[in-house]
């Protein structure tokens, strides 16, 4: 559910802040919006399955039912993200005639919209799924106590997510320390 919450927050951010500013100069934005509509339907199905499994007295977890529920999300989201990254790459934006001041306005609008997200679920998702380097780049250098004490405790309830991942969790650093 945290992945779905994060994805929804991300799409809401794009729909409210990014797409309106880019649409006049980046025609592919219409296609990305249509993909969001398809993804919203697929995410509703996936959310319904996960909610059902979590309910008291629910049927047992089924990998095949999970794959059936999440398959449409994965089928759309992976090519969507790839295309979207190409649409908003700096070179693509420059080629579309987006000036630096417009790009700064887009970033400011995205940051403002991002502050509206439910950080209790989005933050946990990011802390668990980003590498140490990605966290450092996104959050900046964190004090040792925050990184070594607060984050592990905060993300503890989410540790079980890995059993549903396609790959094992990342190994700890060879030194056993988390230098940023």
């Amino acid at each position: 559910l945290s992945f779905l919450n994060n994805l929804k927050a991300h799409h809401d951010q794009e729909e409210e802040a990014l797409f309106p500013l880019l649409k006049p100069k980046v025609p592919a934005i219409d296609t990305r919006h249509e993909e969001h509509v398809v993804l919203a339907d697929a995410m509703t199905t996936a959310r319904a399955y996960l909610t059902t499994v979590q309910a008291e007295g629910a049927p047992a977890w089924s990998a095949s039912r999970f794959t059936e529920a999440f398959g449409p999300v994965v089928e759309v989201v992976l090519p969507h993200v790839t295309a979207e990254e190409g649409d908003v790459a700096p070179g693509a934006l420059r080629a579309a005639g987006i000036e630096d001041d417009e790009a700064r306005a887009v970033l400011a609008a995205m940051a403002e919209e991002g502050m509206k997200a439910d950080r209790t679920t989005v933050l946990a998702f990011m802390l668990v799924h980003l590498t140490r380097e990605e966290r450092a780049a996104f959050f900046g250098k964190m004090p040792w106590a925050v990184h070594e004490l607060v984050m592990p405790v905060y993300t503890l309830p989410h540790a079980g997510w890995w059993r549903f991942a396609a790959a094992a969790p990342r190994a700890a650093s060879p030194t056993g320390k988390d230098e940023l």
Side-chain angles (χ1 to χ4, degrees), residues 11-133:
H11 287 170
D12 290 349
Q13 187 179 15
E14 290 176 336
E15 292 288 340
E16 294 297 320
L18 181 67
F19 290 179
L21 294 171
L22 295 183
K23 186 177 177 176
K25 294 185 178 180
V26 182
I29 293 301
D30 288 333
T31 303
R32 302 297 84 79
H33 169 73
E34 292 167 11
E35 292 165 351
H36 282 183
V37 172
V38 172
L39 274 166
D41 289 342
M43 289 164 54
T44 298
T45 301
R47 182 181 306 282
Y49 173 69
L50 291 175
T51 303
T52 299
V53 169
Q54 289 182 341
E56 190 169 324
W61 170 265
S62 164
S64 62
R65 288 194 58 218
F66 174 79
T67 301
E68 182 181 312
F70 258 87
V73 173
V74 173
E75 288 172 16
V76 176
V77 82
L78 295 178
H80 167 78
V81 167
T82 301
E84 195 170 72
E85 289 293 321
D87 295 341
V88 299
L93 294 178
R94 278 190 212 96
I98 304 233
E99 302 294 330
D100 288 348
D101 60 332
E102 292 173 296
R104 281 190 285 280
V106 167
L107 290 174
M110 289 290 286
E112 183 178 330
E113 190 64 29
M115 296 305 287
K116 297 176 185 175
D118 178 2
R119 287 181 222 101
T120 60
T121 56
V122 173
L123 180 62
F125 179 84
M126 292 179 72
L127 292 176
V128 170
H129 291 88
L130 294 179
T131 65
R132 288 163 172 53
E133 293 79 18

Side-chain angles (χ1 to χ4, degrees), residues 107-174:
L107 290 174
M110 289 290 286
E112 183 178 330
E113 190 64 29
M115 296 305 287
K116 297 176 185 175
D118 178 2
R119 287 181 222 101
T120 60
T121 56
V122 173
L123 180 62
F125 179 84
M126 292 179 72
L127 292 176
V128 170
H129 291 88
L130 294 179
T131 65
R132 288 163 172 53
E133 293 79 18
E134 290 165 337
R135 285 194 305 263
F138 189 81
F139 296 109
K141 188 167 176 75
M142 291 183 253
W144 177 88
V146 171
H147 197 267
E148 294 295 325
L149 302 174
V150 175
M151 285 178 42
V153 170
Y154 181 76
T155 60
L156 192 60
H158 309 284
W161 293 347
W162 286 112
R163 67 181 168 187
F164 307 118
R170 293 179 176 99
S173 71

